[in-house]
Amino acid sequence: MINNKHTGFTLIELLVATIILFMAMGAVSLIYRGAFISSEKASNHVNIVANVPALLSQIKQQVQSATSQQTQLNGQGNAWQSTYTWQANVQQTKIVVDAASTLEFGEQMATKKQFKLWQVTLIINSHGIVKNYTFNQVSWHDA
């Protein structure tokens, strides 16, 4: 008597199982790749945003230390794995006379201050991500 019991898998069953396995592995690798890319982008954005206050403080200090004749400032540099450039332009200038010293010493001897309103543009580039920031800053000098 011939025993017709088949044991094991046929070649077609193995091929179908292999195709399903590789499709599942491909889907998992695409999900992992997408998560990794998103994580890198988020890390770069956090790197930029976390360092903006330090850059703003540095720029504000330079704007406030500008001479009374300057109407335009700019700068650039590298910090925290980022490159940055900034430019500041005077938007308004106003001379203010101290009313108390005018009453006390007269108009000629009164204390006068020159106030300038600067518009500052900051561009930060970190790993291909470019962020633009614009803000206003006030500086003053004796007039």
Side-chain angles (χ1 to χ4, degrees):
M1 224 160 132
I2 300 178
N3 192 356
N4 285 338
K5 288 187 178 179
H6 295 281
T7 58
F9 296 107
T10 65
L11 183 59
I12 292 178
E13 290 172 334
L14 286 175
L15 287 174
V16 169
T18 304
I19 289 171
I20 291 172
L21 175 69
F22 282 123
M23 285 174 56
M25 287 174 50
V28 169
S29 69
L30 285 175
I31 291 170
Y32 177 76
R33 181 176 174 263
F36 181 76
I37 290 171
S38 295
S39 174
E40 281 291 313
K41 285 183 179 180
S43 176
N44 289 337
H45 283 285
V46 166
N47 183 35
I48 290 173
V49 171
N51 297 309
V52 166
L55 289 174
L56 292 181
S57 175
Q58 185 181 27
I59 292 169
K60 286 177 182 180
Q61 185 180 24
Q62 290 182 19
V63 167
Q64 288 178 348
S65 65
T67 65
S68 60
Q69 291 81 24
Q70 289 178 301
T71 59
Q72 200 173 45
L73 299 170
N74 57 41
Q76 62 184 15
N78 296 316
W80 305 286
Q81 303 171 354
S82 302
T83 59
Y84 65 92
T85 59
W86 63 274
Q87 183 173 3
N89 296 309
V90 173
Q91 299 296 307
Q92 286 182 337
T93 302
K94 186 168 187 172
I95 296 177
V96 177
V97 179
D98 181 26
S101 64
T102 302
L103 292 174
E104 189 174 337
F105 302 113
E107 178 117 3
Q108 298 298 328
M109 298 298 291
T111 305
K112 297 176 185 171
K113 295 275 187 190
Q114 179 185 32
F115 289 90
K116 290 183 182 180
L117 176 65
W118 299 80
Q119 183 177 33
V120 182
T121 303
L122 171 63
I123 302 169
I124 303 174
N125 185 347
S126 178
H127 303 289
I129 296 174
V130 178
K131 292 273 193 178
N132 294 313
Y133 297 93
T134 301
F135 63 96
N136 291 327
Q137 180 64 35
V138 175
S139 68
W140 57 90
H141 301 280
D142 290 332

